[in-house]
Amino acid sequence: MTGWKIKGKLPQYPKFVIAVAPHTSNWDFFLGLAVLFSLRIKIRFLGKHSIFVPVVKQLLEFIGGMPVDRRSAHGIVNQVVDQFNAQEKMILAVAPEGTRSKVFPWKTGFLAIAHKAQVPVVLIAFDFKHKEVIIGPNFVSEGNFDNDMHKVYTFYQPITAKHPNDVVYPQDISE
């Protein structure tokens, strides 16, 4: 993977949600694809509906893409939970920031999906400084998303994004 290394191993659960961060560049998507091919896994991922245009749409859906219209709520959590419930195996990858732009707080939809589907969350980081894809801890959400997000922010804070100035963490993360 052009000098990139993968640190850690994915758990052998049949179903789980992967939180991939920090997400500050379009390169994150291509790095993610390289990781998928390297690990030989098939995932589903949520993507901005506007990128699902003819021809590109077929490719994105072939590699696991599911379009999401972020302009209004459409019950996406329940739709994805229904897909988890209908599958014997499913891995969903989500960028917690929900965008490449600077945003805080990060979105908690991935936690809601994992909690309602009763599947673990696996944290994966793209560290551009060290050229490492870090497969981090996993946990089961008990529904306290504030506590869950503290775990998430704590894991990702030392990671260097492609564009580090576009990542925002809470001020009190070390507490």
Side-chain angles (χ1 to χ4, degrees), residues 19-33:
V20 182
H23 180 42
T24 63
S25 165
N26 285 331
W27 287 109
D28 301 338
F29 177 76
F30 298 105
L31 178 57
L33 285 178

Side-chain angles (χ1 to χ4, degrees), residues 12-85:
Q12 295 302 304
Y13 306 130
K15 301 178 186 182
F16 54 97
V17 172
I18 295 174
V20 182
H23 180 42
T24 63
S25 165
N26 285 331
W27 287 109
D28 301 338
F29 177 76
F30 298 105
L31 178 57
L33 285 178
V35 171
L36 294 178
F37 291 126
S38 175
L39 295 176
R40 295 187 171 102
I41 61 171
K42 179 147 177 70
I43 65 155
R44 303 297 310 268
F45 64 91
L46 304 176
K48 184 170 43 173
H49 76 285
S50 60
I51 65 170
F52 284 77
V53 296
V55 180
V56 174
K57 175 183 178 184
Q58 287 80 7
L59 173 64
L60 291 173
E61 288 176 346
F62 177 76
I63 61 174
M66 298 185 301
V68 176
D69 186 345
R70 298 181 301 186
R71 295 173 296 186
S72 61
H74 292 287
I76 191 68
V77 169
N78 288 332
Q79 290 175 36
V80 176
V81 169
D82 289 346
Q83 289 198 24
F84 265 110
N85 291 336

